[in-house]
Amino acid sequence: MTDRLIASDPVFTVAGQRVPDLARDCLALSVEETTAGLRTLTAHFLAVAPRRRPNDDVVEYLDGRTLSFGSELSVSLGPPGNERVVFAGSVSALEATFDEGDTPHVTVFAEDALMALRMTRRSRTYGQVSDADLARRIAADHGLSADADAAGPTYPLVQQVNESDLAFVRARAALLGAEVWVTGRTLHFATRDRRRGPELRLAQGRDLLTVAVRADLAHQRSAVRVSGYDARGRDRIDAEADGAVVTAEVPAGRTGPAVLAGTVGPRLDQLTRMVPLAEAEGRSWAAARLRARARRFVTAVGTSRGTPELTVGSRITLTGVGRPFDGDGYYTTRVRHTFQRGAGGLRSHFEAERATVNAEDGR
């Protein structure tokens, strides 16, 4: 486990070649990702830097020599020899900004390989497939390899109706409580327990500039039920998941469903827009929905001085945030790395969640 924090300038690579000019001229940078996948980058560059070549344009970086639409762009943060790539993707937009009294700058927007899935919309029918099979099929359609590690039912029929491939994969992942992301040319589709992320320790008053931690019963439920009809067996389906599916994945502490039962009382959530056609589907959907609610019982929103290794899927231990919230078990669901020259440098903003509060005796 590491607790070392780093602040450094970004390093830019275009088409596999390092471009020092981009680091020199970078005014601000933002790289963001969530559990839904599709990592994005926004970078602002000073556009009147010293010119190495004659240029008839009024600003730099608009002649296509360094950056252009579709350029392969990657960014790493951290000290030399221990840097970490926080973004790898393709340029999707260029913007020039002119403001009276200010120096012109060029803004570059980029997305990772999931951009291709986002821009492909289709209607299609699949037969005898699991959700992991669907992820593999979509990945192959876009020339990506697939690492699909999510157990779930096999469906006799699944339809994609006027949806982008990215929206479709995200929707299928949600049914299982799985997550979607890409590294290089590999599409990942995995449940949270099978996603491996770095372990970090962040302390309030030392590593963290700000942090807010909340335990909230508003969206907690004791159980989730879903109903349907098994046409093959000609029988009603009533599938239910209760707090046991939550306690099975946490080692200690009080879960949201348990606290809810002891205070407000049992509360049931009935899924009405989801109609399973087999018992296994209903059980899987109900369990995934209850886990999603329970995992957000405790939420943390914070900013560190700069932690390049922080990524979605990181397991975080928070210290100095109060007895109910101290300890491990936090799972990072959103990360945004920012760099602003002359205004603090590198910052890492994150959202994380945990299914439990500590017991009164601190356990």
Side-chain angles (χ1 to χ4, degrees), residues 208-260:
L208 296 172
L209 296 172
T210 66
V211 64
V213 192
R214 172 191 293 187
D216 193 344
L217 288 174
H219 300 288
Q220 294 301 299
R221 297 295 183 269
S222 306
V224 172
R225 180 182 298 160
V226 59
S227 300
Y229 184 73
D230 188 337
R232 179 172 298 178
R234 297 185 179 183
D235 195 11
R236 176 184 174 90
I237 296 172
D238 278 313
E240 182 174 307
D242 59 22
V245 304
V246 182
T247 56
E249 66 176 14
V250 295
R254 296 181 295 158
T255 66
V259 175
L260 183 72

Side-chain angles (χ1 to χ4, degrees), residues 95-178:
E95 176 182 274
T97 300
F98 304 88
D99 193 358
E100 184 177 9
D102 197 5
T103 303
H105 67 269
V106 167
T107 303
V108 175
F109 302 87
E111 301 178 17
D112 69 15
L114 290 179
M115 179 173 66
L117 279 67
R118 179 182 64 78
M119 299 177 71
T120 302
R121 180 178 296 272
R122 69 177 103 217
S123 295
R124 188 159 60 181
T125 300
Y126 307 84
Q128 292 299 318
V129 290
S130 67
D131 292 307
D133 293 333
L134 291 169
R136 296 185 189 101
R137 173 70 181 275
I138 296 295
D141 288 343
H142 294 277
L144 303 175
S145 60
D147 180 10
D149 192 7
T154 296
Y155 305 93
L157 189 72
V158 175
Q159 289 185 309
Q160 179 181 356
V161 182
N162 194 29
E163 287 180 286
S164 73
D165 284 349
L166 181 57
F168 180 64
V169 171
R170 283 172 169 172
R172 302 313 301 184
L175 292 175
L176 303 179

Side-chain angles (χ1 to χ4, degrees), residues 43-65:
H44 305 274
F45 299 100
L46 183 68
V48 290
R51 302 175 186 273
R52 292 188 175 184
R53 298 177 298 268
N55 191 332
D56 295 333
D57 203 346
V58 295
V59 295
E60 290 283 313
Y61 301 122
L62 292 179
D63 57 5
R65 293 177 179 176

